[in-house]
Amino acid sequence: MDFTTAGIRRRIRTRRAALTLAGAVGIAGAAVLTVVLPDGEHRAPDRAGHPAPGASPGSPGEVPSPGARGLGDPLAPLDGNGGYTVRRYTLDFDWRAPRTPFAATTTIRATATQALSRFDLDFAGNALHAVTVDGTPAKAVRDGDELVVTPARPIARGGAFTVRVAYTADPTQRRHRDDAIQDYGWVPTADGTLLSLQPDGARMVFPADDHPSVRAPFTFRITTPPGLTAVAGGRLVGRVRQPDGRIRWTYDSEEPVAAQLVQMAIGRFSVVDGTGPRGLPLRDVVPEDLVTDTEAYRALTPEHLAWLEQRLGPYPFRRYGVLVGNTDLPVALETQSLSVVPGADLSGDQVGAERNLVHELAHHWTGDSVAIRRWSDLWLSEGHARFYELLYSDTHGGIDLAGMMRAAYEQHDQWRHDDGAPAEPTASTLFRQMRYDGSALVLYALQEKVGEDTFDRIERSWVTTYRGRAAGTADFVRLASRVAGEDLTPFLTPWLYGPHTPPMPGHPGWQVDPVED
C-alpha cells in the first residue's frame, strides 16, 4: 500500500485532515443465517478422507471437531480459518457488465489438518446458491463474515477435499476504513473493474482463508464479452473464444498468493510487454487511452528493479508489471506480480510517480515474498517499502532522506500517542502514518546504529532467509542481532514498542515535538 506525497496531496484536496484521521476497522455485519441448497451437480466425488501426498492420516479413533473460526490474530481474530490448508483456489467468473452482478464459482482444494466435522471460510456479501464438499451437497450457514460449512460426512485428518461455492458476485461491494486504505474491495471502472483487497476485502470477491500469513496458488477463469480484456496476477495460459462469441481467459498465479494480494481486472486494456533485468518478463496493463500518457514513468521499471536487486537480491517472482487504474482509486497497492497504481499518479511529477512505483515494487520483497505473521507486524511491510521508496528518491534527485526522517522523528511521539508504536497498532490505526514514515524511521535508526554495510547485510539476509514464508517482528530482531553480531533487542524494543521515541543514533540534535491531546 502506498502513502506517498502524491497520494497525500490527492487526499488532502478532499479531506484536509488526512494524516490525523481516526480509524474504524471494517464493517461488523449482523449475523445472518442462510441455509444453502445444493446446485444439482452430478460428478464423481473426489477422494474424501484420503490423505494428501506426504500427509499423515488421523488415527482411527480421532473424533472429528470443528475447525477454528479464525487464526486468532489479536487485531483480527476471525481472519483466516483453522483445521485445513488450502492447496489451490480456482475462480470462475462469468463477467457481464460494469456494476452488474454475475455468476461466480470458487473451487478450493484443501487438506485437513485435523479430523473435521465442519470448517469456516471467510466470505462476505454475495448471494449464495450452493456449497458442495467432494461433489456432495453440504450444509452452509452465514454468520457475519464467516461461511460455516458442514460436509455430509467428516473429513479425516490429512484428508484431501474439494469445496465448491456457487454464488452471485456483486462487483459494487466495497468497505471503508478511515486511514490510508479508504475504500476497498471491488473497484468499479467505466468499462469493468479491478481489485483493491487489502486488508480483508478478498472475502467480498471469493470465499477464502483470508489472513496475510496464509497463501495458496490461484487459477483464474474469467469470461468476458468480446472487446474486453481480462487480466490477473501471474501468467496467461489460455484465451478461448466461446460458441456465443464471449472470451474465456485463464491465468495461473505461478506462485502462492495471500488473498489480500490477488489482482483481477477487466476492461478495455492494452497489454504492454517488456523485459527486465536477467530477462525477467514485464507486463503492464493500461487503459487504452492512458498508454501514451503513462509510458515515460512505466518505462522506468527495469531501472527500479535493478536498483532494488542491488540491495535486496533477485526479484522473488517470475514476472512483474503495473496495472494502471483509470478510476477513483485512493491508493496504489502491491498486488502480487501486478501492482496497481492510479493513473493520475503516473501523469504528474516524476518524483511522486517514482516514489509510488518503487514503493509497490519494494513490497514484492517485503510484504509479498516475506509475508507478515500477524497484522501487528505490518510495520515490516510498509516500513520497508517506505524506506526504499525514500532512499531511491534521495539517490535519484528527489526528496532528502535525512530531512524526511528528521521530520518523522519530530512527530514520532505524537504518532505513538495517536496510532500506537510501530509494532503496536490497533485494528483501526493499522494503515496510519506510523506504519509508513514512522516505521521507515525505525529502519533508519537501525542503519544509523549498525552502519550501512551491516544494515545492507541484515536486509538481504531478511528477504533471503524468509523468502516465500511468513515472518514477524521477533524474527526480524533475532536475525538482525545475528547478522550484526550483537544483541539488538535492547535497541529495537523501545523503537518498536512503548510510548516514547528513543534518541536517534548519530543525531543528538534531533528533538521530538511535545504531544498534543
Side-chain angles (χ1 to χ4, degrees):
M1 177 63 63
D2 180 42
F3 203 41
T4 62
T5 303
I8 292 171
R9 285 200 300 267
R10 186 172 62 255
R11 288 189 288 276
I12 285 176
R13 286 195 293 269
T14 57
R15 302 168 83 175
R16 300 296 300 178
L19 299 182
T20 58
L21 290 172
V25 69
I27 296 176
V32 179
L33 304 182
T34 304
V35 177
V36 182
L37 301 177
D39 67 348
E41 65 172 302
H42 300 285
R43 67 178 181 83
D46 295 335
R47 298 177 302 147
H50 287 235
S56 300
S59 63
E62 186 174 357
V63 178
S65 59
R69 290 170 57 79
L71 295 182
D73 189 310
L75 297 187
L78 293 182
D79 279 11
N81 302 286
Y84 62 89
T85 298
V86 175
R87 299 303 181 192
R88 178 170 290 272
Y89 295 92
T90 299
L91 308 184
D92 285 281
F93 289 164
D94 188 15
W95 177 266
R96 293 291 165 173
R99 301 178 183 272
T100 302
F102 61 91
T105 301
T106 294
T107 303
I108 300 172
R109 292 195 288 110
T111 301
T113 56
Q114 66 179 68
L116 280 173
S117 60
R118 69 171 188 258
F119 57 89
D120 283 24
L121 296 168
D122 299 312
F123 194 44
N126 301 288
L128 275 165
H129 301 308
V131 177
T132 63
V133 177
D134 293 328
T136 300
K139 178 183 178 182
V141 176
R142 304 296 295 270
D143 185 4
D145 279 1
E146 299 294 308
L147 177 61
V148 185
V149 179
T150 304
R153 57 186 180 273
I155 301 168
R157 179 169 61 89
F161 63 100
T162 300
V163 187
R164 182 177 183 270
V165 182
Y167 57 101
T168 298
D170 179 0
T172 66
Q173 278 205 73
R174 304 180 80 175
R175 289 183 175 178
H176 180 80
R177 290 178 58 93
D178 287 331
D179 56 19
I181 296 291
Q182 297 191 51
D183 297 320
Y184 66 102
W186 294 94
V187 182
T189 63
D191 47 27
T193 191
L194 55 85
L195 301 180
S196 183
L197 303 183
Q198 195 177 61
D200 59 1
R203 64 197 64 184
M204 289 184 273
V205 177
F206 56 93
D209 190 8
D210 190 5
H211 187 270
S213 66
V214 179
R215 293 180 278 201
F218 279 75
T219 298
F220 306 85
R221 297 196 290 239
I222 309 156
T223 304
T224 67
L228 296 182
T229 298
V231 297
R235 179 173 63 95
L236 176 66
V237 296
R239 180 184 181 277
V240 179
R241 184 176 296 276
Q242 305 298 293
D244 62 357
R246 292 164 57 78
I247 308 297
R248 190 187 202 192
W249 310 77
T250 303
Y251 288 85
D252 175 33
S253 69
E254 300 182 295
E255 305 278 354
V257 187
Q260 64 154 346
L261 299 177
V262 165
Q263 185 55 261
M264 185 276 300
I266 296 164
R268 298 189 184 280
F269 294 126
S270 292
V271 178
V272 183
D273 293 319
T275 304
R278 300 173 292 102
L280 180 74
L282 299 180
R283 171 193 57 160
D284 290 345
V285 179
V286 192
E288 292 173 345
D289 58 348
L290 291 181
V291 173
T292 300
D293 290 347
T294 62
E295 181 179 7
Y297 296 154
R298 289 187 293 102
L300 298 172
T301 294
E303 178 183 338
H304 299 159
L305 279 160
W307 185 85
L308 282 164
E309 287 192 336
Q310 287 176 356
R311 285 150 183 82
L312 298 174
Y315 173 74
F317 299 106
R318 300 185 191 183
R319 65 195 67 245
Y320 184 67
V322 173
L323 168 62
V324 179
N326 188 17
T327 183
D328 183 23
L329 184 69
V331 290
L333 186 64
E334 63 275 15
T335 43
Q336 190 167 302
S337 82
L338 186 62
S339 294
V340 58
V341 179
D345 289 357
L346 298 179
S347 57
D349 68 279
Q350 183 166 342
V351 170
E354 288 201 86
R355 286 184 59 183
N356 247 348
L357 291 166
V358 172
H359 183 108
E360 305 312 334
L361 179 55
H363 266 303
H364 281 69
W365 282 265
T366 62
D368 290 17
S369 176
V370 181
I372 58 173
R373 192 181 301 280
R374 294 180 172 183
W375 276 117
S376 57
D377 300 316
L378 183 66
W379 78 273
L380 283 164
S381 176
E382 296 298 349
H384 272 102
R386 186 62 141 188
F387 179 83
Y388 286 105
E389 160 205 332
L390 296 175
L391 181 60
Y392 179 89
S393 189
D394 178 78
T395 57
H396 288 76
I399 59 89
D400 174 59
L401 174 61
M404 288 287 291
M405 292 295 91
R406 182 166 188 168
Y409 187 83
E410 291 169 353
Q411 300 176 72
H412 221 247
D413 270 7
Q414 186 69 54
W415 292 341
R416 286 172 187 263
H417 174 272
D418 296 342
D419 305 330
E424 287 188 320
T426 64
S428 61
T429 63
L430 258 178
F431 294 91
R432 296 288 295 275
Q433 193 80 359
M434 179 58 92
R435 253 51 69 189
Y436 297 87
D437 292 293
S439 298
L441 185 69
V442 176
L443 297 172
Y444 182 81
L446 178 60
Q447 178 181 262
E448 296 297 283
K449 165 73 172 175
V450 302
E452 288 188 15
D453 289 344
T454 299
F455 178 79
D456 288 346
R457 287 192 290 112
I458 289 171
E459 293 292 278
R460 186 178 284 256
S461 181
W462 173 246
V463 299
T464 301
T465 300
Y466 290 102
R467 177 173 177 168
R469 300 163 59 191
T473 301
D475 299 312
F476 183 81
V477 174
R478 281 193 296 268
L479 180 141
S481 297
R482 177 177 57 79
V483 174
E486 63 174 305
D487 184 6
L488 291 169
T489 305
F491 175 76
L492 285 171
T493 297
W495 275 100
L496 292 168
Y497 305 97
H500 300 296
T501 306
M504 175 60 71
H507 298 279
W510 286 17
Q511 299 293 321
V512 181
D513 290 343
V515 172
E516 298 179 4
D517 289 322

